[in-house]
Amino acid sequence: MGAHDAQFTDLHRRSIRLRDYDYSQGGAYFVTICAHHRACLFGDVIGDGVELNTLGCIVEDEWLRTPAIRPQVTLDAYVIMPNHFHAVLFIDGDRAHPVRAYCNTPLHKNTPADHVPSLRSPSQTIGAIVRGFKGAATAKINRRRLTPGDPVWQRNYYEHIIRGDDDLGRIRAYIALNPRHWALDRENPAAHKKRLPNGSLMD
């Protein structure tokens, strides 16, 4: 495994959410979402690419619909792997309009009575974008396979705030090369199987 691979090996395996960071503000984000129990639901890696099955195509279609649902979002590089999904997206801060306080949002006890704070709508955050995508894809996948209510995704997801062009370039390269490195990917169930002396995988 090269230095480039090592840099991103654990990037999508731990939450790195920053306390008090506004995830609806403008910027670039790298997200990873894993299938429930890391089951290989979405297709197979063939050579240096991924051949999506019907469920994988549903995932792709739902992701590509995101900007139509949330115009402040611009999609960038992405890859759907057999059991997980990586993507880069941009949030346009100028289009993520602030909204007034919600009716049940309490004001600070020292806040003047006539003060109405400006808050970001929860529907514009990274968390809301991911939840909406996961929910829509889950509903369509379960209709397709006749498994109402079954989980498709892990509950959590992972995100990384992209810091500049160099960071973006490295992440785009990581996404592009992900299928090529599937044999060594920790998300690949076969990578965890023990090898026999002849090199074959033990079931």
Side-chain angles (χ1 to χ4, degrees):
M1 181 180 294
H4 174 272
D5 301 319
Q7 181 176 2
F8 290 102
T9 295
D10 294 319
L11 182 59
H12 63 283
R13 301 179 215 290
R14 54 190 170 87
S15 177
I16 51 175
R17 297 183 67 83
L18 299 179
R19 187 176 182 180
D20 300 326
Y21 183 82
D22 178 4
Y23 280 89
S24 68
Q25 72 179 8
Y29 301 87
F30 171 59
V31 298
T32 295
I33 313 169
C34 294
H36 187 62
H37 293 322
R38 290 180 167 78
C40 292
L41 301 176
F42 308 131
D44 297 293
V45 173
I46 308 295
D48 290 341
V50 183
E51 186 173 308
L52 298 178
N53 58 22
T54 300
L55 304 188
C57 289
I58 290 173
V59 170
E60 183 173 47
D61 289 346
E62 282 305 314
W63 183 245
L64 294 178
R65 289 182 64 240
T66 300
I69 299 169
R70 293 182 168 87
Q72 80 275 17
V73 175
T74 300
L75 304 183
D76 195 76
Y78 72 92
V79 64
I80 301 166
M81 298 295 289
N83 63 1
H84 63 281
F85 169 68
H86 296 299
V88 170
L89 66 156
F90 298 90
I91 292 180
D92 182 348
D94 292 334
R95 299 176 71 180
H97 300 294
V99 297
R100 292 188 181 276
Y102 297 100
C103 58
N104 293 324
T105 302
L107 298 177
H108 191 277
K109 64 180 181 180
N110 295 323
T111 302
D114 60 350
H115 174 74
V116 180
S118 178
L119 301 175
R120 294 289 186 182
S121 167
S123 67
Q124 297 168 345
T125 65
I126 287 291
I129 293 165
V130 171
R131 284 193 300 273
F133 158 70
K134 287 167 65 176
T138 295
K140 290 188 176 181
I141 285 172
N142 281 337
R143 282 199 297 269
R144 176 72 184 188
R145 63 184 186 178
L146 303 177
T147 55
D150 279 9
V152 172
W153 307 100
Q154 289 187 359
R155 186 179 68 174
N156 202 359
Y157 72 97
Y158 308 88
E159 86 285 307
H160 168 76
I161 303 164
I162 297 175
R163 305 289 190 182
D165 290 343
D166 290 345
D167 197 18
L168 177 60
R170 286 190 294 268
I171 291 171
R172 283 172 169 166
Y174 171 75
I175 289 173
L177 294 172
N178 215 228
R180 181 182 300 178
H181 298 155
W182 175 239
L184 301 177
D185 197 316
R186 291 184 184 179
E187 306 296 352
N188 182 353
H192 298 281
K193 293 182 178 180
K194 294 182 179 179
R195 289 191 176 272
L196 298 172
N198 63 4
S200 62
L201 290 173
M202 181 184 299
D203 292 330

